[in-house]
């Protein structure tokens, strides 16, 4: 039987440590603050941002939810970022993506003060990460490393294969694994004989955005499978492709009209040594790491020594 890595328990442990850190900072008269910018009304974004604001409240982090209208201009957003950069009560700036098409996302993200870039998307933080300097690392990749370390899965010397090379997941997770002394292979849509490469993985990280793309034939039995993918299935045909006969999923699908599957086929989990489930795995670490980054940013900006996390 494969070992399941429980994202909820790991996220709870990280949040507990963050709450303790917030308590210690309070002794220095510091309350970490996060500005969450939610543009317009994208349903999924509203849920993500609500969860982030709620996590702040639970952990004692100050949050300011700012909700520009869907037709906001790039200039108005740049003014907002400049204001947030200058505010002393704000340590982290989160701009929920995707932004409406008229807003120049790259220009905006580049305008965030790197010291407040708690999403870790700014090129300065990407560069620092690559150079092995202290950096605010992107939350989902940082969460992947936390899952492995806290579950006592050895990384050093292992062959880690990352499928996906996006700036927000694939590339940074590969760099973080390299810093942990894994031998890292990065795959993408132009990789030849993908299955041959993924079968060599001791640790396989899938960040592709395609439901159940990694099939059992692409996995070596006993491997550690880390599934970053979040894909919503809404049709009966898609549901049956992955979960036919799964009574628990069936009940949830009947109730909500959808279910989530990762980038790794559920059948591949059956031959894994260890794996992160979807839902209930990597996804739950992302907000915990955002909270951790916010507290870290608060410390780093004030040059307070780092304790705990
Ligand atoms: N909180 C979380 O847990 C969290 C956070 C972020 C993302 N996600 C999920 O993670 C997944 C990936 O997100 P992302 O933002 O990295 O996606 P992305 O920007 O679309 O990148 C997808 C990557 O997968 C590669 N790819 C696509 N088709 C492929 C194929 N047939 N064979 C091999 N590689 C292929 C692409 O290669 P090319 O570069 O060659 O096109 C690309 O590098 C999504 O399901 C997303 O929802 C989860």
């Amino acid at each position: 039987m494969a070992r399941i890595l429980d994202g909820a328990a790991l996220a709870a442990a990280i949040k507990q440590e963050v709450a303790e850190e917030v308590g210690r900072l309070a002794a220095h008269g510091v309350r970490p603050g996060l500005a969450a910018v939610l543009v317009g009304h994208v349903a999924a974004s509203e849920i993500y941002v609500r969860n982030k604001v709620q996590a702040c409240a639970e952990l004692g982090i100050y949050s300011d939810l700012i909700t520009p209208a869907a037709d906001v201009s790039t200039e108005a957003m740049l003014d907002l970022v400049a204001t947030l950069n200058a505010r002393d009560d704000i340590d982290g700036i989160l701009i929920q993506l995707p932004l409406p098409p008229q807003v120049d996302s790259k220009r905006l993200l580049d305008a965030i003060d790197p010291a407040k870039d708690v999403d870790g998307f700014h090129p300065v933080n990407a560069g620092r990460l690559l150079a092995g300097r202290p950096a605010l690392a992107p939350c989902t990749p940082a969460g992947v490393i936390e899952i492995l370390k806290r579950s006592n899965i050895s990384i050093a010397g292992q062959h880690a294969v990352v499928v996906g090379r996006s700036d927000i997941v694939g590339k940074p997770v590969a760099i973080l694994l390299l810093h942990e002394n894994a031998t890292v292979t990065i795959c993408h849509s132009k990789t030849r004989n993908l299955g041959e490469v993924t079968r060599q993985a001791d640790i396989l990280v899938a960040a592709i955005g395609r439901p159940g793309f990694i099939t059992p034939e692409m996995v070596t039995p006993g491997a550690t499978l880390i599934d970053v993918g979040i894909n919503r299935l809404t049709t009966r045909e898609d549901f049956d492709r992955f979960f036919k006969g799964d009574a628990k999923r069936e009940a949830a699908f009947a109730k909500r009209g959808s279910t989530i599957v990762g980038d790794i086929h559920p059948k591949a989990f059956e031959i894994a040594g260890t794996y992160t489930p979807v839902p209930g795995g990597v996804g739950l670490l992302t907000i915990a790491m955002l909270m951790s980054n916010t507290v870290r940013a608060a410390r780093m900006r004030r040059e307070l020594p780092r304790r705990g996390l």
Side-chain angles (χ1 to χ4, degrees):
M1 272 289 277
R3 173 179 166 214
I4 303 173
L5 303 176
D6 181 353
L10 293 162
I14 292 169
K15 282 184 179 171
Q16 174 64 34
E17 290 167 18
V18 172
E20 287 164 14
E21 193 82 349
V22 170
R24 283 194 285 270
L25 282 172
H28 291 272
V30 174
R31 186 174 186 203
L34 177 73
V37 182
L38 172 66
V39 178
H41 297 281
V42 178
S45 295
E46 283 177 339
I47 295 168
Y48 290 143
V49 170
R50 194 172 59 221
N51 289 343
K52 289 168 186 174
V53 168
Q54 196 182 319
C56 285
E58 279 165 24
L59 306 186
I61 295 171
Y62 165 74
S63 68
D64 189 355
L65 174 61
I66 301 159
T67 55
D71 62 354
V72 70
S73 66
T74 300
E75 296 308 322
M77 287 294 286
L78 285 169
D79 286 347
L80 172 62
V81 166
T83 307
L84 295 173
N85 281 343
R87 270 174 62 177
D88 197 45
D89 60 339
I90 295 299
D91 297 291
I93 301 170
L94 165 109
I95 298 180
Q96 187 64 44
L97 302 176
L99 290 166
Q102 80 278 4
V103 177
D104 185 338
S105 303
K106 277 222 166 92
R107 225 177 124 200
L108 201 63
L109 296 181
D110 287 1
I112 294 175
D113 179 347
K116 297 190 176 188
D117 169 40
V118 283
D119 259 337
F121 294 161
H122 195 287
V124 166
N125 277 316
R128 282 189 189 142
L129 190 72
L130 192 64
R133 309 269 173 83
L136 291 165
C139 301
T140 302
V144 168
I145 300 299
E146 288 296 322
I147 290 176
L148 292 170
K149 283 187 168 177
R150 287 170 187 259
S151 307
N152 296 318
I153 293 166
S154 61
I155 306 176
Q158 301 293 305
H159 187 183
V161 175
V162 179
V163 187
R165 57 171 164 179
S166 72
D167 290 332
I168 61 170
V169 188
K171 268 187 224 166
V173 89
I175 297 301
L176 289 169
L177 286 162
L178 186 65
H179 289 330
E180 296 297 331
N181 298 314
T183 300
V184 182
T185 304
I186 307 176
C187 303
H188 46 78
S189 65
K190 304 289 187 293
T191 299
R192 263 183 285 135
N193 304 325
L194 182 64
E196 254 172 50
V197 183
T198 55
R199 271 195 299 279
Q200 294 170 29
D202 300 307
I203 300 171
L204 179 61
V205 181
I208 310 160
R210 291 181 169 223
F213 182 81
I214 302 289
T215 55
E217 308 76 62
M218 298 169 79
V219 170
T220 287
T224 295
L225 305 183
I226 304 293
D227 194 348
V228 181
I230 301 177
N231 308 290
R232 189 171 294 277
L233 306 178
T234 54
T235 67
R236 165 54 57 182
E237 194 190 352
D238 280 344
F239 180 90
D240 285 347
R241 201 149 62 92
F242 297 108
F243 300 116
K244 198 172 171 56
D246 182 334
K248 210 169 141 201
R249 286 266 186 180
E250 187 70 61
F253 185 68
K255 194 169 154 205
R256 291 200 203 100
S258 69
T259 193
I260 303 284
V261 68
D263 290 341
I264 299 180
H265 198 292
K267 286 258 176 270
F269 292 144
E270 291 172 14
I271 59 167
T274 313
Y275 71 93
T276 58
V278 178
V282 176
L284 296 176
L285 272 287
T286 300
I287 291 185
M289 296 316 294
L290 176 71
M291 299 297 112
S292 168
N293 268 355
T294 303
V295 171
R296 189 153 174 241
R299 271 198 181 284
M300 280 164 62
R301 208 158 61 81
R302 294 173 182 81
E303 296 185 346
L304 291 168
R306 189 166 170 239
R307 275 187 244 148
L309 282 174

